[in-house]
Amino acid sequence: MSTTQNVSIQVYAQDGTPIPPTVSREHLLDLARGAYERGGTYLDRGDVDIELAEVADKAACSLLRDRWNDDFPISAYVELLTAVAALRAVFGFASTPTAREVTDWSEKLGEHLGGEIDGPTSLSLIGFANGPYKGAVLRVPGAADQGPAAALTLPIALGDTADPGHGEARYKRDAEATDEGLWLYRLDGDVREDARPHIALPIHSDQVGV
């Protein structure tokens, strides 16, 4: 049995107050890079930010797609979005939304769209065939017996997450719903390749239009 005493690495101030240990941000980024490398993705330190942001974007759109399927376990998306938001906070990166904020965003979007309609409304499921919101499915109001709006404009973010540019992606609705009752929207015009969803709260009237 060893009699060697453990040497404490705790550091104290002159008044005896414990000083919290410090870990360099570069070390934390290298730990994250190592985890990605184990999965076959090789990143520079400067790539971790955008990589995590893209993970959050994909998880958000997947959550908005699959939450309508009663038999689909969405807990993985919920936990992933929270984990990414927490990890980004540790790194000091700009925040990405949690699952609750994603669903709040979609509900506020529906409220905004409904407020633009005169007369009776009915709810429709809409999906996005391409562009930054590809795969997302939303429940939005439309004019009764006419379906949802013929065109939608959704907010997008561009470039670096630390100082992102913002814009909008305009989508045009297909003439008819699918056999499953889903109204598909396709990009109406070009957007930059680095465009991604800008899912954030609150939603302002100048961010979303019909």
Side-chain angles (χ1 to χ4, degrees):
M1 179 176 177
S2 174
T3 59
T4 303
Q5 294 183 347
N6 292 327
V7 179
S8 173
I9 60 173
Q10 178 67 63
V11 179
Y12 296 87
Q14 290 183 348
D15 62 359
T17 303
I19 300 175
T22 59
V23 179
S24 72
R25 187 167 182 262
E26 289 75 14
H27 178 63
L28 293 175
L29 288 171
D30 287 341
L31 291 176
R33 292 170 59 216
Y36 271 102
E37 185 173 339
R38 284 160 46 203
T41 300
Y42 299 89
L43 302 174
D44 293 329
R45 287 176 180 169
D47 297 332
V48 176
D49 178 8
I50 196 67
E51 182 72 22
L52 290 174
E54 289 176 352
V55 170
D57 293 338
K58 293 173 184 176
C61 287
S62 295
L63 174 66
L64 292 173
R65 176 194 65 202
D66 294 323
R67 67 182 177 138
W68 308 113
N69 300 331
D70 294 336
D71 59 344
F72 198 95
I74 64 169
S75 60
Y77 301 136
V78 174
E79 294 168 4
L80 177 58
L81 283 164
T82 300
V84 170
L87 189 56
R88 292 181 63 81
V90 170
F91 289 143
F93 294 150
S95 181
T96 50
T98 64
R100 176 177 293 179
E101 290 168 331
V102 171
T103 53
D104 284 349
W105 175 88
S106 68
E107 290 171 3
K108 288 182 180 294
L109 171 61
E111 292 172 4
H112 170 79
L113 295 175
E116 297 290 314
I117 301 171
D118 294 326
T121 63
S122 61
L123 290 175
S124 300
L125 285 179
I126 68 171
F128 298 89
N130 59 1
Y133 287 86
K134 180 180 179 180
V137 175
L138 305 174
R139 179 177 285 167
V140 301
D145 302 324
Q146 297 181 26
L152 295 176
T153 302
L154 297 180
I156 56 175
L158 305 163
D160 191 347
T161 63
D163 185 23
H166 293 95
E168 56 188 28
R170 186 169 179 81
Y171 283 88
K172 186 175 181 180
R173 194 197 73 191
D174 285 355
E176 301 291 339
T178 66
D179 293 340
E180 292 77 24
L182 180 69
W183 292 91
L184 282 178
Y185 285 76
R186 304 176 193 278
L187 275 179
D188 185 19
D190 297 328
V191 296
R192 280 173 33 178
E193 290 186 2
D194 63 350
R196 59 186 186 275
H198 180 49
I199 298 175
L201 298 177
I203 293 296
H204 300 291
S205 59
D206 61 346
Q207 291 178 308
V208 180
V210 294

